[in-house]
Amino acid sequence: MRSFLCLLSALLSVTSVHAEQAQRPNILFAIADDWGPHASAYGTPWVKTPAFDRVAQEGLLFKQAYTPNAKCAPSRACILTGRNSWQLKEAANHICYFPPEFKGWGEALAEKGWNMGYTTKGWGPGKAVDASGKERKMTGTPYNKRKAKPPTPEILGTDYAANFTDFLDAAPADKPWCFWYGSVEPHRGYEFGSGVKKGGKKLTDIDHVPAYWPDNEVIRNDILDYAFEVEHFDSHLGRMLAELEKRGLLENTLVIVTADHGMPFPRSKGNANVMANHVPFAVMWKKGVAQPGRVIDDFISFVDLAPTLIEVAGLKWADTGMAESPGHSLTDLFANKPVHVRDHVLLGKERTDVGRPHDWGYPIRAIVKKDAVLIENFEPTRWPGGNPETGYMDCDAGATKSFILEAHRKNAADPFWQLCFGLRPGLEFYDLKADPDFVKNLPGDPRMAALRDEMHAALKQQGDPRMEGKGAIFDEYKHASPGNVGFYEKFMRGEPVKAGWINQTDIEPKPILP
């Protein structure tokens, strides 16, 4: 009798495990490189994103999704760990040595039996090894064999969707899987004019050029070229959804579509504000999202992703080995429960590129609410976009950057250069209702003090070194590309150094005095 009960218990245990596995969704995490909240689902008239729109229509569309840090490596570190960049030591910086102490959900899922894979861009750029020096698989096993002729020479010749098919073909039938679709579009460079010539777009499609850029044919073409690359990302997403549908897997696959940060234009990527950190975000899970088609106005942060995915995977945070997260799981929003995640998001920035003396960064913290944003610049004597004499290296090369720099050389009073590259005060405050493009700083606004106090209290609670007067530690962390360590000093001495993300014409021929 005892042996029968033991056998029955074992069978019930196995059955329970299989039932639990059957309830878990597979996960497709699609992340574009440098894409702001521009999609037809958001009403943007100059970009067509049918795949993203489908995810939103058959799931949820989030209107206020933000990354804590608007640069590739630190943003992706926040996604994976569920921690803000100021809580991640070296990983607060771009091209860093990722601290072994911080595990990500990709590693946690793999340890718990999930089949984890990715294509092209996972976490990075930077170096991630464990305590023994072994390379970490932050987003699983790479699938990068498939190639395809790109629509422009500047678009990567990778067939992302075919790589996903290879992953599905190799996936064990008895394991849940998670695939990270990491495109490198719409990262620069762009083929100038491709949006019009190859995308069939018109300059008049653009309904609004932000007030911090000039409105002319050069800038409008640059925006449409960016849109053309967004559509390339979206086309591969559409093929992936179709593949899942063909295999009967879409019903129980959690699909998350987003980007690491905003568009690669001046005053956006590499800053900390409502343009740089605001990202597209849509979720589809036919078995797990109640009342699909909803639009979520609550603020969410990338630190919410890790708690969400760990819960969806059926894991307990305490069993993952991951450091504590300030994030909140989004599953109650999936279930349409009456919850309010948060009424603000916190943003930050440290060293997002080299090119300043001593490899210094441009430290910022910010708090965004529905009606206002407060930005604190801790080193206002430093150049926010990088030093002019090294080419404003904290801003990627492109037509908009080049136009603004050249206009400033012709007219030192040009307002667009000041908005995008000029020195900034220690505190900035913008009324987003009256000034959604945040170009009119209101230093005397009575709301500033309370908002700054609220931000500082939250940052202190999270252990931000800047709140303890120890922010210099971020400048002391070594850059993970040895050839670029001490870039400014090498450049000024005339030593050969390379920076592939700027143009030679970005470098100012004459010094600009603060």
Side-chain angles (χ1 to χ4, degrees):
M1 184 68 177
R2 182 177 298 173
S3 60
F4 170 76
L5 291 174
C6 289
L7 177 61
L8 179 61
S9 176
L11 288 171
L12 289 172
S13 177
V14 170
T15 302
S16 175
V17 168
H18 283 305
E20 182 182 339
Q21 289 177 343
Q23 291 172 359
R24 297 180 200 163
N26 298 309
I27 300 168
L28 173 60
F29 185 78
I31 178 168
D33 204 2
D34 301 8
W35 177 27
H38 308 116
S40 32
Y42 290 118
T44 310
W46 40 267
V47 63
K48 295 180 175 61
T49 51
F52 179 83
D53 300 351
R54 179 188 179 185
V55 172
Q57 290 160 5
E58 299 180 21
L60 303 174
L61 179 67
F62 290 78
K63 295 180 70 175
Q64 298 289 347
Y66 281 79
T67 174
N69 192 306
K71 198 72 175 187
C72 304
S75 176
R76 291 160 190 258
C78 297
I79 289 171
L80 287 164
T81 64
R83 292 171 70 82
N84 288 299
S85 54
W86 48 89
Q87 298 178 294
L88 288 171
K89 298 184 177 178
E90 291 93 334
N93 290 340
H94 189 56
I95 313 182
C96 71
Y97 294 98
F98 200 104
E101 67 194 90
F102 297 119
K103 183 189 290 185
W105 52 259
E107 296 165 300
L109 263 58
E111 287 178 0
K112 299 299 181 180
W114 283 64
N115 184 36
M116 189 81 199
Y118 76 101
T119 186
T120 310
K121 188 168 182 177
W123 173 80
K127 187 173 183 180
V129 298
D130 63 20
S132 68
K134 183 180 178 182
E135 185 176 351
R136 294 166 63 178
K137 291 187 175 182
M138 303 287 284
T139 50
T141 301
Y143 285 79
N144 294 321
K145 291 182 180 179
R146 303 296 179 179
K147 306 297 178 185
K149 184 179 179 180
T152 79
E154 299 293 344
I155 291 176
L156 191 67
T158 294
D159 194 332
Y160 304 113
N163 287 327
F164 178 52
T165 298
D166 284 350
F167 168 79
L168 292 177
D169 287 343
D174 59 344
K175 285 186 175 183
W177 55 258
C178 176
F179 188 80
W180 175 295
Y181 162 32
S183 85
V184 293
E185 289 80 34
H187 194 290
R188 291 188 183 271
Y190 305 150
E191 180 183 61
F192 187 77
S194 56
V196 171
K197 295 174 185 176
K198 297 181 177 179
K201 301 180 182 299
K202 300 176 183 177
L203 299 185
T204 53
D205 291 343
I206 297 175
D207 56 332
H208 174 70
V209 173
Y212 37 81
W213 303 330
D215 186 354
N216 58 44
E217 288 189 5
V218 172
I219 276 66
R220 284 177 174 253
N221 266 298
D222 205 19
I223 294 171
L224 295 181
D225 297 345
Y226 153 82
F228 187 58
E229 293 214 1
V230 170
E231 292 172 359
H232 181 75
F233 164 82
D234 190 76
S235 69
H236 282 267
L237 174 63
R239 288 171 57 196
M240 292 179 188
L241 297 177
E243 185 67 28
L244 289 172
E245 207 160 28
K246 183 179 78 174
R247 294 171 183 249
L249 296 173
L250 188 59
E251 194 76 13
N252 197 35
T253 296
L254 169 61
V255 181
I256 297 175
V257 189
T258 189
D260 52 3
H261 49 70
M263 60 198 302
F265 282 65
R267 202 170 167 88
S268 183
K269 174 185 177 180
N271 287 271
N273 57 49
V274 293
M275 179 68 163
N277 298 69
H278 195 184
V279 294
F281 199 94
V283 172
M284 178 170 69
W285 179 15
K286 292 180 179 294
K287 284 191 173 182
V289 169
Q291 291 184 262
R294 286 181 286 130
V295 177
I296 308 297
D297 285 317
D298 276 8
F299 283 102
I300 65 166
S301 168
F302 273 175
V303 298
D304 300 326
L305 277 168
T308 301
L309 293 175
I310 291 301
E311 181 182 346
V312 164
L315 305 178
K316 294 181 179 178
W317 191 271
D319 297 334
T320 64
M322 296 172 66
E324 184 180 358
S325 168
H328 307 284
S329 173
L330 303 176
T331 54
D332 282 349
L333 287 177
F334 294 177
N336 200 21
K337 293 182 179 179
V339 295
H340 184 58
V341 179
R342 55 168 60 82
D343 66 355
H344 70 275
V345 285
L346 298 173
L347 317 177
K349 164 185 161 77
E350 291 294 337
R351 183 174 64 227
T352 48
D353 257 319
V354 293
R356 297 184 186 87
H358 314 294
D359 293 336
W360 285 337
Y362 188 83
I364 303 174
R365 298 294 183 270
I367 182 170
V368 180
K369 293 203 169 189
K370 285 285 178 67
D371 61 346
V373 55
L374 175 94
I375 302 170
E376 184 166 2
N377 303 307
F378 290 89
E379 299 287 350
T381 61
R382 299 180 189 175
W383 293 100
N387 278 54
E389 60 270 29
T390 52
Y392 307 91
M393 294 176 67
D394 232 341
C395 179
D396 294 349
T400 298
K401 178 182 180 181
S402 295
F403 186 94
I404 292 172
L405 294 184
E406 191 56 36
H408 177 253
R409 289 163 191 157
K410 295 175 181 176
N411 174 17
D414 182 79
F416 301 109
W417 181 89
Q418 179 58 45
L419 286 166
C420 294
F421 299 108
L423 295 178
R424 298 171 184 168
L427 287 173
E428 300 174 72
F429 181 89
Y430 300 97
D431 184 326
L432 296 178
K433 285 186 177 179
D435 177 26
D437 285 346
F438 63 101
V439 294
K440 299 174 183 176
N441 186 22
L442 303 174
D445 193 285
R447 293 170 288 179
M448 281 184 66
L451 204 53
R452 185 173 182 263
D453 288 346
E454 181 180 355
M455 178 178 75
H456 277 224
L459 293 171
K460 285 177 183 177
Q461 186 177 21
Q462 294 175 10
D464 183 353
R466 290 248 165 235
M467 298 297 102
E468 302 171 3
K470 300 177 181 178
I473 187 65
F474 294 111
D475 286 333
E476 295 169 8
Y477 292 134
K478 290 294 183 183
H479 194 272
S481 177
N484 280 339
V485 172
F487 185 99
Y488 181 89
E489 288 73 21
K490 291 175 181 176
F491 181 89
M492 298 304 288
R493 289 194 298 264
E495 296 180 22
V497 284
K498 292 183 178 181
W501 62 96
I502 64 167
N503 291 331
Q504 191 67 25
T505 54
D506 293 345
I507 300 168
E508 292 294 352
K510 297 179 181 179
I512 294 179
L513 299 177

